[in-house]
Amino acid sequence: MVPTGAYGTWPSPIGAALAASHDGRPEYVGVVGDEVWWTAPRPTEGGRRALVRRRADGTEESVLPAPWNVRSRVVEYGGQPWAGAAREDGGPLVVFSHFPDQRLYAYEPDAPDLPNVPDAPDGADAPDVPDTPGGRRAAAPRPLTPVSSVGGGLRWADPVIHLDRGEVWCVLEEFTGPAPTDVRRVLAAVPLDGSAAEDRSVVRELSDGRHRFVTGPRLSPDGRRAAWIGWDHPRMPWDGTEVLVADVTADGTFRDARPVAGGPEESIPQIGWTADGQLLHVSDRSGWWNLYRSAADADREPVALCPRPEEFGGPLWKIGLSWFSPLENGLIAVIHGRGATALGILDPESGELVDAAGPWTEWASTLAVHGTRVVGVAASPRSAYEVVELDTRTGRARVIGSAHDDPVDPSYYPEPQIRTFTGPDDREIHAHVYPPHSPDRIAPGDELPPYVVWAHGGPTGHAPLVLDLEIAYFTSRGIGVAEVNYGGSTGYGREYRERLREQWGVVDVEDCAAVAEALAAEGTADPARLAIRGGSAGGWTTAASLVTSDVYACGTIIYPILDLLGWATDETHDFESRYLESLIGPLAEVPARYRERSPLNHVERISAPFLLLQGLDDVICPPAQAERFLTRMAGRGVPHAYIAFEGESHGFRRAETMIRALEAELSLYAQTFGIERPDVPLLELRK
C-alpha cells in the first residue's frame, strides 16, 4: 500500500543538484562534412556552452575544454555562435564566438602540432587542448577579430564560412560609446587568415547600416545575390521586419541592396534559398507565421507554400534561429504547429506536409540538413531536449546526440495536462497543468494541493510542453505547477500575440490569475496555497501580480523588470530599449501609465511574502532595479528574502546558483504553506 503524506512533504529523488545538472538544452545544430555539431550546456563547468561534435562513427565529444565558451552576446541574447566547413583535406574548420572576450576564433581540431598554446582568452590558466585522433596535440584556436575597449566592444553572430573567398560572413555589433544604445550593427566579412585579429580596418563591411538590427547574409546558390533581414526601433522583430537582397560582385562587394518583402506590420523571422535560386521566407502576413516563396524581387506577390492557421516560425529573440531548411531534392524541412510543434517535410509544389513520427512535442528553432537527412533538437513530456535526425528516404527519426537518459525512475515525472481556460472577456488562455505526482505517496483525501503558477519570460515567448526537472522537483514533492501561455505568448497566431499590446501588466496578470482561480474553483488547487513565479518578463508579471492581486499567498521574482521608467531610459540593453512602446505605449504620450504599472511605485500594496533572485552581471534587467525595490520594501513588515549571485547574468547558468535558487524557492513555499521540509536549507525571511 502506498503511504499517505501531506502535499509538499513527499520525499523525492529529484534533488536541486539533479535538476541543475540537467538544466539547458542543445542548440545551434549544424553539419560539418559528415559530422553533426551543436552547442550544449555545461552547468557544472561554470555554466559555459560547449561545442560538441558527433563523429561519423557515432561517438560524441566536446571539441574544446573549459574555459572555452561558445556563446555570442549580440543583442545580449546572442544567436548562432559558430559555423563549420570541411577543408580540402576533409578536416573540419570551425569559427566560433568565445563568450568572455567575444572575439571570433578559428579552430581546426584535427590539425596537429601547434608549438605554443596561448593563454586562456579570459585570463585564466591556459586551457587544455585535446589530442587529435592520431595522438598528436591539436592546434589551439586562433583569434580572427580584435578586441575593442569601447563600450561593449565588438561582437559577432550568425557566421557562415566561405572557404572560396577566404572569409567568414556574419553580423558585427560594434559599440561606439559607453551607453548601451551607443551601438551599430552591419554585415561584415572577416578574413580567415587572422589578418584582422589586431586590425579592425581589415574587416570588410558588407551592408550600409540602413537598419539598426540585421541577421546574417545568406548567399544564393549561384553566388550572385545575398539576402538578410533588417528592422529598426521601435519595432521588435515579431512586429515588423524587412527582407533585403543585394547583388554580390566578383570581389564580394554588396551592391544595390533593395527591400523585397516585409514591412512595418509584417514579421519575417527567417529567410533562405532554394537550390534553383528562389527566395524562401516565413511571414505572418496572414496572421500566422507561414512559409512563402518568391522570385527574390518585389515585383511579384510571394506564394504561400502551405497556408494554415499554424506557426511555421517564431519570435527572433536570437540572431540566426531557423524553422525551415531546404533539401537538395526540392523538399523543405519545416517546424510547425499550434501550441506544440512538429518536424515535417513539405513538398512546396503540392503543399503536402508529412510529419516525422516520434514522441516529440516540441522542436527547438534550429535545423540543419545533410543530403536527405534533417537534424533538429526536440523534446517531449517524458524526455528532455535531444539531437534528432530524420532520414527523409525512410521516414525514420532517431536520437543521435545528447540523448535523454532518465536520471531517476520516470514514474516520478509529472503527467501534464493541456488545458484551455476562460479569462476576462471570455478570452481563451492556454496553459499546461502539472498535478502533484509521486509513486511513493498519496495525499489525504480531504486535502487540496498547493499550486505555483509559472509565468514565462519574453513576454513574447512560450512555455513548451516538455520534461523539465525543475517542474518535477516540485510536483514530485506534492506541489502542483501551472505554466500559463498568457495573452501575448507565441504559438497561437498574431492576434493572440498582440493581446498584450499596451496591456503588459494587465492581460498577463489577469490571465495568470484566471488560471489560478479556475484551478481553485474546480477543486484542483487549494485556494489558500497558491503562489506565482517567473523570471525576466515573468518576474515582472509575478511582481505586478503581487501588487494588484490577492490571489497568491507568495511569489518568487527572478531577475525582474520592476521600474518601467528606468527600463525605458537607460537601464536595459539596446535590443529591448524601445520594447515598451508596444507593451505599454509611447512614453511621451502615456508617462502616467509607466508610473502606474510599475511594481516599484506600489510596494505598499504588497502583503504576500516573496523571494527575489538576481544576477549581479545582468545588463538586461539590472540589479539596480531590484535594489531600489528592496529599499522601498524595508520596514514594511512583509517577509521577504533577496539572493544576489556574483557572475550570473540574465538567466542562471551555473549549477551552484540554480541549486541555491531552487532550494530557496521551495523553502519559501514550505514556510508560507505550512509544510515541513527539514531536508531543505531554511530560507531566512526578513521584514
Side-chain angles (χ1 to χ4, degrees):
M1 175 179 285
V2 179
T4 299
Y7 284 115
T9 66
W10 302 345
S12 172
I14 303 174
L18 184 67
S21 68
H22 287 73
D23 189 80
R25 69 187 188 196
E27 287 186 305
Y28 305 116
V29 294
V31 175
V32 184
D34 292 326
E35 301 177 349
V36 177
W37 293 47
W38 63 88
T39 69
R42 294 289 185 262
T44 59
E45 298 178 14
R48 77 182 184 105
R49 296 289 304 190
L51 186 58
V52 178
R53 68 189 292 189
R54 180 187 184 273
R55 293 183 180 272
D57 62 5
T59 57
E60 184 178 321
E61 64 187 45
S62 291
V63 177
L64 286 165
W68 295 103
N69 189 349
V70 182
R71 181 176 153 216
S72 170
R73 281 189 64 183
V74 168
V75 302
E76 293 301 343
Y77 291 110
Q80 177 76 35
W82 75 277
R87 305 188 317 267
E88 288 186 5
D89 63 5
L93 167 67
V94 181
V95 172
F96 66 92
S97 174
H98 179 54
F99 183 74
D101 61 13
Q102 285 299 288
R103 299 175 86 178
L104 278 183
Y105 287 81
Y107 182 47
E108 300 175 45
D110 298 344
D113 298 334
L114 190 76
N116 297 306
V117 178
D119 290 339
D122 55 358
D125 293 336
D128 291 332
V129 179
D131 291 340
T132 67
R136 295 178 295 174
R137 196 150 177 81
R142 51 186 176 84
L144 297 181
T145 58
V147 174
S148 170
S149 60
V150 179
L154 301 174
R155 302 172 180 178
W156 315 83
D158 207 7
V160 177
I161 296 173
H162 295 283
L163 288 176
D164 56 334
R165 300 175 183 271
E167 295 177 325
V168 54
W169 291 4
C170 53
V171 173
L172 162 61
E173 181 177 79
E174 181 173 26
F175 283 79
T176 58
T181 53
D182 293 337
V183 63
R184 61 190 294 268
R185 298 174 188 87
V186 294
L187 307 182
V190 177
L192 289 170
D193 62 9
S195 57
E198 304 297 335
D199 187 354
R200 163 68 179 82
S201 67
V202 179
V203 175
R204 227 169 32 91
E205 295 192 8
L206 301 172
S207 60
D208 57 11
R210 74 172 68 183
H211 288 296
R212 192 171 185 91
F213 302 95
V214 291
T215 63
R218 299 292 183 259
L219 191 63
S220 63
D222 62 9
R224 297 173 60 184
R225 291 168 297 172
W228 65 95
I229 300 169
W231 70 96
D232 294 289
H233 286 318
R235 293 186 299 277
M236 300 299 287
W238 42 87
D239 296 325
T241 58
E242 189 173 59
V243 178
L244 293 102
V245 171
D247 298 325
V248 180
T249 64
D251 64 359
T253 302
F254 286 15
R255 290 182 179 171
D256 188 27
R258 62 270 186 195
V260 298
E265 304 297 325
E266 181 181 353
S267 170
I268 297 177
Q270 186 191 350
I271 54 172
W273 297 95
T274 63
D276 60 355
Q278 297 187 85
L279 187 65
L280 298 173
H281 65 273
V282 171
S283 166
D284 70 350
R285 55 175 21 209
S286 70
W288 296 86
W289 273 309
N290 278 192
L291 185 61
Y292 293 82
R293 179 178 60 200
S294 69
D297 58 46
D299 297 334
R300 283 182 275 170
E301 284 292 302
V303 177
L305 300 182
C306 188
R308 292 185 180 190
E310 293 184 9
E311 305 284 40
F312 286 70
L316 196 64
W317 279 103
K318 299 179 180 181
I319 305 300
L321 299 181
S322 60
W323 294 266
F324 73 83
S325 189
L327 284 84
E328 295 173 355
N329 59 10
L331 301 177
I332 306 170
V334 295
I335 295 170
H336 71 103
R338 187 169 182 163
T341 54
L343 172 64
I345 301 300
L346 173 66
D347 183 337
E349 302 307 321
S350 68
E352 181 183 8
L353 179 59
V354 179
D355 288 342
W360 306 286
T361 55
E362 187 72 20
W363 289 79
S365 47
T366 179
L367 282 179
V369 299
H370 179 50
T372 60
R373 298 176 185 271
V374 181
V375 182
V377 174
S380 79
R382 309 296 290 178
S383 59
Y385 286 96
E386 46 198 355
V387 180
V388 179
E389 180 186 75
L390 170 66
D391 186 337
T392 61
R393 295 172 302 178
T394 65
R396 181 190 175 209
R398 63 183 181 125
V399 176
I400 63 167
S402 291
H404 173 77
D405 182 19
D406 290 312
V408 298
D409 186 333
S411 63
Y412 288 94
Y413 298 160
E415 297 290 345
Q417 303 169 359
I418 302 173
R419 299 283 304 272
T420 301
F421 296 88
T422 301
D425 302 321
D426 292 325
R427 63 178 180 253
E428 288 187 344
I429 307 167
H430 301 285
H432 303 145
V433 177
Y434 297 83
H437 174 76
S438 172
D440 296 333
R441 293 292 187 278
I442 58 173
D446 59 350
E447 184 185 5
L448 292 175
Y451 260 81
V452 183
V453 170
W454 284 30
H456 64 69
T460 309
H462 182 84
L465 186 69
V466 300
L467 176 63
D468 184 338
L469 289 187
E470 282 199 12
I471 292 177
Y473 176 81
F474 293 104
T475 58
S476 63
R477 286 168 170 76
I479 298 174
V481 170
E483 282 191 303
V484 181
N485 280 314
Y486 48 81
S489 301
T490 55
Y492 308 99
R494 183 158 185 146
E495 182 180 351
Y496 194 89
R497 197 166 79 235
E498 293 198 338
R499 286 184 188 176
L500 213 56
R501 185 168 288 275
E502 298 196 4
Q503 295 297 308
W504 196 37
V506 178
V507 166
D508 51 325
V509 169
E510 290 177 346
D511 286 2
C512 287
V515 170
E517 291 175 321
L519 292 173
E522 69 186 26
T524 297
D526 185 344
R529 295 193 294 174
L530 297 171
I532 185 169
R533 67 101 82 166
S536 189
W540 153 272
T541 300
T542 299
S545 296
L546 297 182
V547 164
T548 60
S549 171
D550 59 1
V551 171
Y552 309 104
C554 62
T556 301
I557 307 168
I558 309 170
Y559 38 84
I561 300 156
L562 298 166
D563 177 8
L564 294 175
L565 283 172
W567 214 69
T569 51
D570 60 355
E571 285 189 342
T572 192
H573 60 143
D574 182 60
F575 179 59
E576 294 179 272
S577 61
R578 304 281 296 277
Y579 194 6
L580 296 184
E581 293 195 22
S582 60
L583 291 174
I584 304 296
L587 177 59
E589 298 176 15
V590 290
R593 190 182 296 168
Y594 281 67
R595 292 188 292 269
E596 176 57 32
R597 297 239 188 116
S598 294
L600 179 74
N601 296 328
H602 303 291
V603 295
E604 74 282 355
R605 300 178 187 172
I606 297 178
S607 58
F610 65 86
L611 167 64
L612 178 55
L613 303 170
Q614 179 70 51
L616 292 179
D617 292 345
D618 195 338
V619 298
I620 297 173
C621 295
Q625 293 213 349
E627 291 159 4
R628 290 201 301 274
F629 185 77
L630 292 166
T631 297
R632 296 193 183 186
M633 284 299 305
R636 303 202 62 86
V638 177
H640 65 276
Y642 176 55
I643 306 177
F645 297 99
E646 295 274 359
E648 290 284 10
S649 55
H650 199 68
F652 300 151
R653 290 175 171 82
R654 298 179 177 181
E656 58 270 26
T657 299
M658 292 183 279
I659 291 169
R660 189 178 179 199
L662 205 52
E663 291 180 339
E665 184 177 354
L666 179 58
S667 181
L668 170 70
Y669 303 150
Q671 293 180 61
T672 305
F673 297 153
I675 298 169
E676 292 291 330
R677 293 278 357 169
D679 57 328
V680 176
L682 182 68
L683 175 69
E684 183 181 354
L685 297 173
R686 299 179 179 180
K687 298 183 179 180

